[in-house]
Amino acid sequence: MPALSLQIIPQDDLIIVRVLSEYALENPNNTTADVCDEIILDYAGLTKTIYYYGDASGKNRHTAVTDKSIRHNYDVIRSKLAPFLFDGSDKVPASNPPISGRRILMNTLFANNTPVRIEVDSRCMNLLNDFDYLKEDGNGGYIKPKVRDSVKGISYEKLGHHSDCFVYFCFQNFEYLINYE
């Protein structure tokens, strides 16, 4: 499971969105629980509150765990990150934002004609590669080519996961900036 650590910093007339770090663990240690453990290692003692964002369809998918009280990955997140969560921590929308709105919002934010400024730590190579190399398909979505790891015998999408994280975060916080005209 990919994840980003982001911070919103109000600064004078600007809103700085700072991408602090990314999580891109290697298979087989890339479960939701594994990523949560890494977040706890990085932020225990540094923050009291975590908000989490993501793909709405994740609340409809089952996860492979033996604990029957856990229905999907967001249950894993709530369980693992419980000391950092409060009633308003869940920022996952009821439905995913429209693809056209995502594209418009990202273009708007990166055009630097709003009060929002994006700062990405140079160590966030997966996100930066998504920004540089991810391509749009004919319907406005992303082309996510699959690659095969011949050593591990698995196929996966090389690009797009961290930019998806970023888009979900931005849409929940800055949808009001979209001009659909």
Side-chain angles (χ1 to χ4, degrees):
M1 179 190 94
L4 297 173
S5 171
L6 301 105
Q7 185 178 37
I8 295 177
I9 305 163
Q11 189 176 69
D12 301 321
D13 294 336
L14 297 175
I15 302 167
I16 309 297
V17 173
R18 189 169 291 153
V19 184
L20 303 169
S21 59
E22 67 180 15
Y23 298 88
L25 305 179
E26 294 280 329
N27 183 295
N29 301 314
N30 61 344
T31 67
T32 302
D34 293 328
V35 172
C36 288
D37 288 341
E38 290 295 315
I39 291 168
I40 291 167
L41 283 173
D42 288 348
Y43 290 97
L46 297 177
T47 188
K48 294 179 182 176
T49 304
I50 291 177
Y51 297 88
Y52 60 93
Y53 301 78
D55 187 328
S57 61
K59 289 187 175 179
N60 298 321
R61 295 184 189 141
H62 293 285
T63 190
V65 294
T66 55
D67 183 346
K68 297 303 176 200
S69 69
I70 295 178
R71 300 176 317 259
H72 48 68
N73 286 330
Y74 291 113
D75 285 341
V76 175
I77 290 169
R78 280 192 291 276
S79 173
K80 295 291 271 183
L81 299 180
F84 301 96
L85 304 180
F86 68 103
D87 287 343
S89 287
D90 182 349
K91 299 294 185 181
V92 179
S95 62
N96 285 329
I99 290 173
S100 63
R102 296 180 211 182
R103 185 180 63 251
I104 292 168
L105 179 59
M106 291 299 99
N107 288 339
T108 299
L109 291 175
F110 284 112
N112 279 334
N113 59 4
T114 72
V116 178
R117 298 294 178 266
I118 310 297
E119 296 177 0
V120 180
D121 188 284
S122 62
R123 295 170 295 171
C124 298
M125 290 308 301
N126 289 293
L127 180 61
L128 293 170
N129 284 335
D130 284 356
F131 290 161
D132 286 342
Y133 301 113
L134 196 60
K135 294 181 181 176
E136 186 177 346
D137 68 18
N139 298 320
Y142 297 130
I143 299 171
K144 296 181 180 179
K146 290 197 178 229
V147 294
R148 181 158 178 77
D149 182 328
S150 58
V151 174
K152 295 180 181 175
I154 57 170
S155 295
Y156 61 94
E157 293 171 341
K158 186 174 181 176
L159 296 172
H161 298 288
H162 288 85
S163 60
D164 283 345
C165 295
F166 186 73
V167 167
Y168 292 130
F169 169 84
C170 289
F171 210 88
Q172 287 300 103
N173 287 288
F174 306 112
E175 179 184 13
Y176 66 91
L177 294 172
I178 296 175
N179 181 357
Y180 284 103
E181 295 175 6

